[in-house]
Amino acid sequence: KTITLSNKIDELGEEVFLGCEKLNSVTIKRTISDGFIKSNYKAFSEITYSRATLYVHPNDYRLYYYDMNWGWGPFRKVEKRQ
C-alpha cells in the first residue's frame, strides 16, 4: 500500500496513520521551498517506520534523511523520488 502526501499538507497529527501497518511507501510531493511538512513522531506505527520507504524530492533528501526536528527521523528508509 502507498500514500502520497500532497503539497497542500502542512502538518501530520499524532497517530494519523497509526493503523496503516501495511504501508510500504510514503511519498511527499511538497518541496522544502514550499515549506517543510511537520510530522508528529507518532504519526505512523513503528512497523511503518521500519518497513516503509519515504520518498522525497531529490533536493530535499538530506533534510529528511537526517531530520531530528520535524518528525521524519524514525523512517529507516528514505529515497529520492522521481
Side-chain angles (χ1 to χ4, degrees):
K1 305 250 178 199
T2 65
I3 188 166
T4 300
L5 302 175
S6 80
N7 57 0
K8 297 183 188 278
I9 294 174
D10 293 321
E11 185 172 351
L12 298 180
E14 187 171 329
E15 299 181 352
V16 68
F17 294 109
L18 190 61
C20 303
E21 279 134 4
K22 293 188 179 185
L23 279 174
N24 57 22
S25 172
V26 177
T27 301
I28 295 178
K29 288 296 212 180
R30 189 174 192 160
T31 64
I32 294 299
S33 61
D34 295 325
F36 207 76
I37 298 176
K38 184 176 180 181
S39 175
N40 184 289
Y41 280 101
K42 295 180 183 177
F44 299 90
S45 70
E46 288 297 322
I47 292 170
T48 301
Y49 286 127
S50 66
R51 292 184 186 166
T53 302
L54 178 65
Y55 291 97
V56 299
H57 189 278
N59 294 342
D60 302 338
Y61 171 78
R62 292 177 61 87
L63 295 171
Y64 283 95
Y65 185 81
Y66 294 109
D67 172 52
M68 299 303 284
N69 298 312
W70 296 98
W72 298 101
F75 275 95
R76 295 195 183 135
K77 295 182 264 182
V78 180
E79 301 286 334
K80 299 173 186 175
R81 65 174 168 80
Q82 299 287 328

